Amino acid sequence: MADESAGQETLARLLARRIVMDGPVSVGTFMAEALGHPRFGYYMRRDPFGTGGDFTTAPEISQMFGELVGLWCVDSWARLGGPGPFHLVELGPGRGTLMADVLRAAAVLPLFRDNAIVHLVETSPSLRERQRQTLQPILGDAIHWHDRLDDVPDGPTILIANEFFDALPIRQVQKTNYGWFERLVDVEPASTEDDPRFRFVLEAFGSSGNRLVPDALREAPDGSVVEVSPASQAVARLIGTRLAAAPGAALAIDYGYAHGPAVGDTLQAMRRHAYAPVLEAPGEADLTAHVDFAAIAAAAREGGAQSFGVAEQGEWLSRLGIRQRASALAAKASPAQAQDIRGALDRLIDPAQMGRLFKLVAFATPGAFADSPPAGF
Ligand code: SAH
């Protein structure tokens, strides 16, 4: 393997040369390059989902997930007064499965479908192509792709994001007896240019660390690692700004902690449905970190939106009627299919599986849900 690839460019070699030239990079830069490098980034080259890929997400487990998210969108839109044409935005749509299920469920209110202008925020060309295959039969050519949320036109908005925030870069800081220092990624001195290995080091002076650490955690014990995601906060703030400027609601679903910011290193790599060392093969494994829901909710409020939640996925799906939906589907299915449906239901709502680790937060135009919170919150 090593011989065959000698001299061939890899992201590891490219990053190692950059580090040798310019010095260690932040964990955020390492993560951003590993996932999003235009040529070698993890999401840029492949379809990572499903049983043949590296991990499976809720919309890929069962159509029930997307249908209930779809009903949430329809209900929210109706309660906003059904504002004529509106932007139906998804951040990080993967294979397009969630949007397809949302649109199918939205058939309950044809006015919603008729007024929705679909925008997909996606940086990966190969996943854009996958999304086109999934959604063209439903939407024809009426699909708008964007690299960034900033590029979506202003106006009334319903926005969804499943497992998007966990893919945005985090930075890590560590407490020492000299204060907070940012954790950086350096090249292992003993490794070679052809087969570089990486290791964590601390920045030299603590200037980034002391600036990044949240005030509430400044006094944490020596050795503590704290994660912050300026990139996630920037997106959440932008969602807040949009919802303050025009009627709308947003739903973010992800794995993470509700009462952050928490102490601890949650950066993880997934390869073929198993954990892998995080620095081992940049671009070859999915790199994610727990989402700090309190931090993104605070950022969205700073942007001007109201926030609801955090709700746990199991409870939220139950409140929206996933058990009834599963029974209805199972009643029409073969015994084997009915067993699959019950298995999927368990995976989505069981607290020991996705039910508790996965959480939801909603954002909305202030006052728009004054009578009662958005569905499920
Ligand atoms: N929502 C899908 C996919 C989750 S994986 C599902 O639930 O199955 C993360 C998705 O976000 C992928 O589509 C990935 O290409 C996209 N993505 C990651 N970082 C991004 C960024 N900075 N900007 C836009 N899209 C991004």
Side-chain angles (χ1 to χ4, degrees):
M1 227 357 231
D3 287 341
E4 278 170 36
S5 67
Q8 194 181 310
E9 192 63 301
T10 64
L11 184 57
R13 289 173 187 168
L14 210 137
L15 272 171
R17 283 203 304 278
R18 170 171 169 188
I19 290 169
V20 167
M21 245 183 303
D22 295 341
V25 296
S26 73
V27 171
T29 298
F30 186 87
M31 196 173 166
E33 294 288 328
L35 295 179
H37 184 280
R39 184 158 158 228
F40 297 111
Y42 177 76
Y43 284 117
M44 292 300 162
R45 299 188 299 157
R46 70 188 97 218
D47 174 357
F49 311 105
T51 41
D54 294 303
F55 61 99
T56 306
T57 58
E60 303 296 336
I61 291 173
S62 165
Q63 67 183 70
M64 296 185 287
F65 181 82
E67 289 169 350
L68 294 175
V69 171
L71 293 181
W72 186 91
C73 293
V74 171
D75 180 63
S76 299
W77 182 75
R79 287 172 59 187
L80 289 161
F86 69 101
H87 302 301
L88 178 59
V89 184
E90 182 174 0
L91 308 181
R95 287 177 167 175
T97 310
L98 175 58
M99 183 56 85
D101 291 337
V102 163
L103 291 169
R104 201 160 33 74
V108 296
L109 188 61
L111 262 183
F112 177 96
R113 275 288 303 269
D114 296 346
N115 281 295
I117 307 161
V118 173
H119 298 272
L120 306 177
V121 177
E122 173 62 67
T123 39
S124 160
S126 64
L127 286 174
R128 282 187 181 197
E129 178 52 27
R130 193 72 174 73
Q131 292 152 17
R132 197 184 59 73
Q133 287 167 14
T134 307
L135 294 168
Q136 205 167 38
I138 308 171
L139 291 166
D141 290 328
I143 312 171
H144 307 276
W145 277 279
H146 309 274
D147 281 331
R148 306 149 50 86
L149 177 58
D150 312 57
D151 303 334
V152 177
D154 293 339
T157 299
I158 299 288
L159 179 148
I160 54 176
N162 185 61
E163 293 214 48
F164 171 75
F165 284 98
D166 68 2
L168 296 185
I170 54 145
R171 296 173 73 173
Q172 294 184 329
V173 294
Q174 189 168 350
K175 178 80 178 291
T176 74
N177 44 7
Y178 300 104
W180 288 90
F181 286 67
E182 181 162 18
R183 279 180 109 192
L184 306 174
V185 178
D186 199 357
V187 176
E188 182 81 61
S191 69
T192 64
E193 209 173 298
D194 261 355
D195 184 22
R197 290 190 307 278
F198 299 94
R199 62 168 183 175
F200 289 107
V201 295
L202 292 183
E203 63 168 327
F205 296 111
S207 52
S208 301
N210 281 304
R211 180 170 48 78
L212 286 170
V213 65
D215 279 337
L217 293 172
R218 212 166 271 281
E219 302 311 322
D222 283 2
S224 304
V225 173
V226 171
E227 296 177 340
V228 288
S229 180
S232 297
Q233 289 172 29
V235 173
R237 196 172 301 116
L238 194 61
I239 294 173
T241 311
R242 281 188 78 89
L243 300 180
L251 186 64
I253 311 155
D254 229 304
Y255 83 106
Y257 34 83
H259 305 291
V263 172
D265 172 2
T266 74
L267 187 63
Q268 67 178 41
M270 282 290 262
R271 208 172 171 183
R272 294 179 212 103
H273 298 270
Y275 293 108
V278 293
L279 301 181
E280 188 176 72
E284 304 294 322
D286 187 36
L287 272 190
T288 60
H290 280 239
V291 170
D292 181 347
F293 280 93
I296 61 170
R301 288 194 300 269
E302 253 172 59
Q306 193 175 353
S307 71
F308 299 90
V310 178
E312 291 180 358
Q313 178 170 298
E315 289 173 3
W316 188 86
L317 288 171
S318 299
R319 287 187 205 119
L320 268 85
I322 194 168
R323 287 192 180 80
Q324 293 80 341
R325 181 69 186 132
S327 305
L329 285 173
K332 289 183 291 186
S334 70
Q337 286 168 330
Q339 201 172 342
D340 286 349
I341 293 165
R342 279 189 292 273
L345 174 68
D346 275 352
R347 250 180 110 175
L348 292 172
I349 70 173
D350 180 354
Q353 302 192 56
M354 295 177 82
R356 181 162 292 156
L357 179 60
F358 279 75
K359 300 179 175 70
L360 298 94
V361 66
F363 309 125
T365 304
F369 292 83
D371 298 339
S372 62
F377 287 92

